[in-house]
Amino acid sequence: MARYLAQIIVVGAQVVGRAFARALRQEFAASQAAAENRGRAGQQSAAASSISGLSLQEAQQILNVGKLSAEDIQQNYEHLFKVNDKSVGGSFYLQSKVVRAKERLDEELHIQAMEQERKEQTKQSET
């Protein structure tokens, strides 16, 4: 009886182990595919997120911008910076979040401009 119980446990552990290994391989493959899709600009964007401490989505939410437009970013930044000024009863913490969000979005705009410039240079060199 104990022998059969031990066999059941061993077989069960093998099944769970194989399923876990398969799931891990699938997750790794999906992660690699996503990284390839992001390309070099995605790596730079991730680096900018880790440096600033804000993700692109967080920065867009803080400044209430959907599309990356320098004019919209600047307009919303100026408004939120003035509203959160400590002299008018605002919060220094929120004001600093607004500044960090603008820095993050400016960095993203810079990354996109460099990527666009690189693509244009590649096209010119091919012709």
Side-chain angles (χ1 to χ4, degrees):
M1 179 74 169
R3 184 176 181 196
Y4 294 123
L5 186 58
Q7 285 179 338
I8 291 172
I9 291 172
V10 168
V11 170
Q14 287 175 342
V15 168
V16 170
R18 286 185 192 133
F20 180 74
R22 187 177 317 122
L24 197 60
R25 281 193 299 269
Q26 288 175 348
E27 183 62 31
F28 183 71
S31 174
Q32 292 293 328
E36 286 178 20
N37 288 340
R38 281 193 308 264
R40 196 162 61 146
Q43 293 171 351
Q44 291 174 342
S45 182
S49 290
S50 67
I51 290 170
S52 69
L54 287 176
S55 71
L56 178 60
Q57 291 78 19
E58 287 174 316
Q60 286 176 313
Q61 286 177 346
I62 290 170
L63 288 181
N64 194 28
V65 291
K67 205 172 185 184
L68 290 181
S69 161
E71 297 81 26
D72 290 343
I73 292 169
Q74 186 64 31
Q75 181 182 6
N76 289 359
Y77 165 76
E78 289 173 358
H79 170 72
L80 291 171
F81 190 84
K82 288 176 188 174
V83 168
N84 289 303
D85 191 9
K86 196 161 178 119
S87 65
V88 293
S91 166
F92 179 73
Y93 173 76
L94 292 177
Q95 195 177 40
S96 68
K97 280 295 208 182
V98 168
V99 170
R100 296 293 166 251
K102 182 176 185 314
E103 288 174 350
R104 175 65 181 91
L105 293 176
D106 286 344
E107 182 65 26
E108 190 66 27
L109 287 173
H110 178 72
I111 290 169
Q112 287 181 356
M114 289 182 62
E115 186 66 23
Q116 183 67 26
E117 183 179 310
R118 189 183 64 80
K119 285 180 182 179
E120 289 173 3
Q121 287 178 355
T122 304
K123 285 181 183 178
Q124 289 177 355
S125 66
E126 289 176 356
T127 53

